[in-house]
Every structure is written in structure tokens, then in C-alpha cells.
Amino acid sequence: MDIQVVIADSNHIVRCGLTAILSNFPDIRIVGEAVNEEKLKELVFNFSPRVVLIDFLAPGFSVDTVQELKRISENLRVVAITTEQSGVTIVNALKAGVDSYIKKDCDIHEIVDSVQETGKGSKFFCGQILEAIRRESIDPDEINGLEINCEPVSLSRRELEVIKLIAEGNTNNQIAEKLYLSAHTVNTHRKNIMQKLGVNNTASIVMYAVKSQLVSPNKFLFSPVNSAAG
Amino acid sequence: MDIQVVIADSNHIVRCGLTAILSNFPDIRIVGEAVNEEKLKELVFNFSPRVVLIDFLAPGFSVDTVQELKRISENLRVVAITTEQSGVTIVNALKAGVDSYIKKDCDIHEIVDSVQETGKGSKFFCGQILEAIRRESIDPDEINGLEINCEPVSLSRRELEVIKLIAEGNTNNQIAEKLYLSAHTVNTHRKNIMQKLGVNNTASIVMYAVKSQLVSPNKFLFSPVNSAAG
DNA sequence: TTGTTATTTAGAAGTAGTTTAAATTAATAT
DNA sequence: ATATTAATTTAAACTACTTCTAAATAACAA
């Protein structure tokens, strides 16, 4: 029986290349190509493919796309194909529901194998990803086993205020002053925010603030002042 | 003598509105409108207006735009007009070379005054901005007096590596492991990075990483895992 | 009324980030 | 060859963040 595959990447050349490579194999059938998340969700909803081969880091997609696809189609399996392989990227992809992960510069056989194996229900990782997984001590089965809370993050008004101020570089004491609170309170908000976001450091809070457009990096200027001035 | 003004905002309605308001005054002459940074730089280069009235937070612009305009035209004076007024935003705008600052929902008289006063060489702040300046204890004259280092930030290869890992949420110890260094070394890199960027906390390093596209927020997933799992 | 969530405050222990100081290596210019 | 600078490395002291535990008030819904 054929493995029905949808290819998702913003780049036309990449989509053509992947389609050309995979079309050579009789057990693989490309049922569609998507340039962005919206089109991809339509395709998955309408055709219920077995496998989506996606570069979730390409413009127009994100790791959240994977999570949403899995909600749309119960039996869908996802192969991620990207140009980078940092530990965080892999971990987040697995959390979001990626089953298999390969790199764009991996061996062509690995691309084909990943789709075939994933279609059969196995996981597949190319050599470079396997190396990264070992180096970073990532356990894909453990992460896949985690139950992700599918409800969207629900932050209170106060928490959103605190997130913005954190992202703008304020300390707990500075936030406390601006919000007329005790530093203890701000600390509690910070703790609750991290819990709701599933993270455990300031860097991730800032990343969340930018990703969810609570702050724009465009308003930050990065130029050292000459200390001679004054 | 006329004050030659260029209006810069991505929004057509806003540009029309500002042009309509300012055109009523005989001492003000609108010499052009710009939808994005590129067009704005062209206009400033070709027409050397006295004043640019800009929403540097609108899509297609950023606080850096102001800095670049000041380099293009020596006598140019800049009036910022935005919808927000957080302390960091104002401070960064002033650092970048903004002379006057008003809000989009301020009094119409204040819009006109800001352009006229700025054209004459004064500074002007609308009521809401003045309130923010007082609340945050900002001294516009002091910030304007600072000599900004105009040379672009120059980070070493090692520093860029460290920035990426910081933005991904790694601690100094984790970075040390990944880069085969002592935590002390990573600490020094962090210090030098902050110095070069003109900042003093992790949040700002993350903001820089995103702004300069060293990392994409799209690869970060924010969903708490159900602690029941395992 | 009861139960839930948001908001507020507090103390303490442990971890991580920030500042300051200093030395070594590598690259470059004079 | 030597002086100068930038990059990289190590160290210690201090400040801020993170985790944990505990509790009180307010707003709101069942």
C-alpha cells in the first residue's frame, strides 16, 4: 500500500527536489506540496496523508505547526527536515510531535528511508541528528512519551505585564517599583510564568515575549556608549 | 522660511492623516512620505529635509533607522511618533538620535508643535511622553549628550557561538560543556558580549540574538508538560 | 456557599548571572 | 623584533534569579 506524503517548505527548489527524489519510489505517493502553514493545514485536513515532510524552520512555518497538524489528523506522522540540528531545536521538535528528523544535507538514501520507515510507524533519524542526539543526551522516546498540555498557554493580565518588563531587561526589583509591588510578588509571577510556559530561565521568557509579539526587538538599540562621554 | 518635512509610517491612513494635519500650516511643507526604511533613506538623501516624522515601531522601520538617517543627513532632526511609551523604548529612541517624541493619540496641537519646535532646533515631548520620562527618571539631555559608538557591533566567532547558546536558554555551565571550556571562560565571553552590545543582562542578549537573526523564535515551543507523565 | 483562579506577600536555600581583576595566546602593525 | 591590540582563558566576590514552602485577599463561577 502506498505511503501518502505531503511536502512542506517555503522554498520552491526544495519542494521540487524532494518531490523528484521521492517520486522515484513506487511505495511513496506525493499528494501535495505546501508553501506555508495555512496551505499545509488545508492539505492535511482534506487529504489525510500518512506522512508530512516539513522544514518547520522555513519562513511561514514554525514548530507549533507540527503540534497543530497532529491535532488535525490523528494518524499523521511527521518527518522534520531542516538545515540545523541544535539540541534545543531537536528537543522542541520532538515535544511538538515530530516522529522522525533528518537534515537537508544528509544522504539521499536517508531522506527516502525516513519517509518509508516513518510511514510504517517507526522513528528515523539521519546520521547527523543521531550524533546530536547522543552529544546532547536526548532521549527521543522519553520526550515523545511526555503528554504535552494541548491547551494554549493562558497568562493573566498581570503576568503579561511582568513578561514584557522582563523582556525589556528589568530585574525583579525594577519591576516591583514600576508595578508598585513587592519583589516577592514579582518573583511569584515569574515562577508562575515559567511554569505556564514550561521553561525555567529568563532567556526563555524573553524568547516567548518576542515569539508572541508582546515586545518587538525593533525598539532595542545595541550600541555601546563611549565611556569617555560626560 | 519653510520647515521641510518627510513623513514615515507603513500605514497609508496614518500618512494621509499626518499630511492633512500638517499641511494646514504655512510654515510646514511636506516634501515626501515613506512606507519603509529604504524609501525613507532615499527621500532624506535626495531632499535633505529638516524634519523626519517617523513611527520607528511601524513594520518596515526600527530604532536603527533613526541612527542611519542621522548619518545620512547632518542637520536632520527627528520626531518620533508611536503608539507606545515604555521607558526602554524612549531611552533607545533618544540614544538613536530622536530629538522629539510624541504619541499617536496625543493632542493635534502637540503634533504640530512638535514639528515646528523641532524644526527650530528645540526638543519637544507630548504630555504622555513627559509623564513617562518623569516616571522613569529619564534625562533626555543626558542621553542625547552620550556619544554613541557608530561603528557596527563587531563580535568574534566565539562570542557569536556563546550568544546563540545563551539565547537557547543554556547556563554558563552548559555552554562550557558544549564548547569544551571552563565556565569562567564562558563568563568572560558573556561579559565582553554585554560590553560590546552596550547592555547588562541576559534578557538583552537574547533580544539581540533574535533581532540580528542569530536564532529564530520559531523553533521554541512553549507548552508545559503534564507532570503526571513518566 | 463553595470552589477556583488571580493576585499579593514572605523566608530561605541553592543556582546562575554580573562585576571586577588578571594572565595567556594570537594576530597585526611599526 | 617589538609594541599593540584583540581574543581567549582563568578566578573570586557579589547580585540576581530559581525553587520551595506557606499563606492571605479578591473576583468570579458553579
Side-chain angles (χ1 to χ4, degrees), chain A residues 16 19 35 106 131 211:
Chain A
C16 279
T19 301
V35 279
C106 73
E131 195 190 313
K211 184 176 180 185

Side-chain angles (χ1 to χ4, degrees), chain B residues 22-55:
Chain B
L22 295 173
S23 296
N24 289 328
F25 297 82
D27 58 334
I28 294 175
R29 192 152 57 84
I30 308 296
V31 297
E33 295 182 8
V35 279
N36 58 39
E37 175 175 311
E38 195 193 339
K39 299 281 169 55
L40 177 56
K41 289 201 275 191
E42 275 177 32
L43 280 176
V44 169
F45 185 79
N46 293 329
F47 297 99
S48 295
R50 172 61 173 165
V51 171
V52 164
L53 179 58
I54 179 178
D55 180 355

Side-chain angles (χ1 to χ4, degrees), chain A residues 61-104:
Chain A
F61 300 97
S62 92
V63 67
D64 305 60
T65 311
V66 177
Q67 224 178 13
E68 295 180 39
L69 291 180
K70 289 259 169 168
R71 264 176 243 166
I72 294 171
S73 176
E74 199 69 29
N75 290 318
L76 177 69
R77 295 181 67 77
V78 176
V79 180
I81 177 165
T82 68
T83 50
E84 78 149 293
Q85 85 259 46
S86 77
V88 205
T89 308
I90 298 174
V91 168
N92 282 311
L94 292 171
K95 277 191 194 168
V98 160
D99 298 287
S100 301
Y101 204 130
I102 59 177
K103 282 197 66 190
K104 278 190 181 164

Side-chain angles (χ1 to χ4, degrees), chain B residues 156 158 181-182 184-185 187-188 196:
Chain B
S156 72
R158 202 57 152 172
L181 298 173
S182 91
H184 292 294
T185 306
N187 190 27
T188 301
K196 287 188 180 179

